[in-house]
Each structure stands twice: as C-alpha cells, then as structure tokens.
Amino acid sequence: MAVVPIVPGKDIKHFMELALEEAKKAGDRGEVPIGAVIVKDGEVIASAGNRREEDQKTDAHAEMHAILEANAKLGTWRLEETALFVTLEPCLMCAGAILNARIPLVYFGAQDKKAGAVTSLYAVFEDDRLNHQVKVFPGVLKDESASLLKDFFKSLRQKAKAKKKAAKAAESGDLPADESGV
C-alpha cells in the first residue's frame, strides 16, 4: 500500500501541537503527560492522552486509546491512509497496535530511551519480515514533548520529597511554627 501524505496545507507541527494539548490534559489529571492524535484526510479523527492511572489498565496508553477511537469512528480496524502523532516514542505494545492497525505514518516527539520501540531500543517499524511497514518521522517538537515529561517527573519527585519531610516531622512531633500555635 502506498504511503499517503498529510493533506497539503496542513502543517505537521499543528497536529503535534494538538497531541501536546492532549498530553497536557493527561498531566493535569495526574497521568504521565503523553498525547496522541490520528489524522485522516487532513482532519483529526481521534485524540487521547494517557489514562493508565485513571483506568488502572496496563494498555491505557495514549496511542491505544486513539487507535480504538479511530477504529470506532471509521468502523474498521484498518487505519490505512492515516497518520499518528504522538508526543513520546511508542513502546513495544503500542508499536504492535500501530502495525496491526495498518497505520502507515507515525510522527513522534521525544525519544524514549527506556521503552522506545521505534528508534531507541528497537526499530520494529523497519523490520521487513513484518507484513506492514510504517514510515517514521522522529523528533517533531521534541523539546516541547521532552520538557512536558521532565517537568512532570520533577514535580512528582518534589511532591514525594515534601511528603516524606512532612511525615518525618509528624513522627518526631516537630510542627512548623505557623501550626504550633506559637
């Protein structure tokens, strides 16, 4: 099958910005800020953010939810002639779903050095033994995507540190001056 380009006049940056918006919404809900959108004929047909904590499901990644939404909208499991925009390099699970959905184009932001299955740890989309290949465009708005993730995890570490400090103070009976009544 021929790879279908994004409709002329539509900016790749625009679609990745929409994925970043989904990532920010996920982060606001306490999820790891990863977002995904699927585009067909120059229009967004599905969008999602990470929902693992919210759903308490292993497969609740942004890409997986976007794929399922696109399947429902188009009434088919085949997402040929679409493009996926995601803020973080897909993991093995999501790469498998992308292959099985027949998505021909993937644009992603930040690399995932710990779980990336597209360019970092593996290159599954380049394996010509598979019955479907995917053209990959890495690094689209990578700084913005990476910054969202770094800021999120920095905030988590700061909250954990503050919680630990408060627990230690409560254990020892030490209270901050404004709470001791002094």
Side-chain angles (χ1 to χ4, degrees):
M1 160 156 265
V3 172
V4 178
I6 298 301
V7 172
K10 295 287 184 171
D11 187 1
I12 290 167
K13 182 180 171 191
H14 167 73
F15 294 117
M16 187 58 81
E17 286 170 344
L18 295 176
L20 281 164
E21 286 176 25
E22 290 296 328
K24 289 174 188 170
K25 287 189 240 178
D28 290 345
R29 295 190 318 271
E31 299 283 351
V32 176
I34 301 168
V37 298
I38 297 179
V39 176
K40 181 173 175 58
D41 298 328
E43 300 298 325
V44 174
I45 60 167
S47 61
N50 245 17
R51 291 185 9 197
R52 275 201 314 185
E53 296 300 325
E54 194 175 338
D55 293 356
Q56 286 298 301
K57 292 183 178 176
T58 304
D59 66 348
H61 290 198
E63 301 95 308
M64 300 297 281
H65 278 284
I67 288 169
L68 292 172
E69 184 180 320
N71 293 148
K73 180 159 187 165
L74 298 178
T76 181
W77 62 269
R78 290 179 182 90
L79 299 179
E80 299 163 330
E81 301 181 1
T82 65
L84 170 70
F85 292 80
V86 62
T87 58
L88 183 67
E89 177 182 0
C91 68
L92 273 170
M93 175 182 67
C94 293
I98 291 162
L99 285 163
N100 281 294
R102 308 294 193 264
I103 297 172
L105 301 169
V106 172
Y107 298 82
F108 73 84
Q111 282 190 302
D112 187 349
K113 299 291 185 187
K114 293 182 179 178
V118 178
T119 62
S120 294
L121 297 178
Y122 305 98
V124 295
F125 293 158
E126 294 177 19
D127 191 334
D128 60 4
R129 295 172 296 173
L130 298 169
N131 67 340
H132 178 70
Q133 276 69 52
V134 178
K135 188 160 177 65
V136 179
F137 300 90
V140 180
L141 298 182
K142 70 178 179 182
D143 293 339
E144 294 87 336
S145 297
S147 179
L148 261 182
L149 290 161
K150 286 177 188 172
D151 292 347
F152 176 79
F153 287 112
K154 181 179 179 182
S155 174
L156 277 185
R157 286 189 300 275
Q158 289 172 339
K159 287 176 187 174
K161 187 176 180 180
K163 187 176 180 180
K164 186 177 180 180
K165 185 176 180 179
K168 188 175 180 180
E171 258 181 36
S172 67
D174 294 338
L175 293 173
D178 62 318
E179 293 180 23
S180 65
V182 177

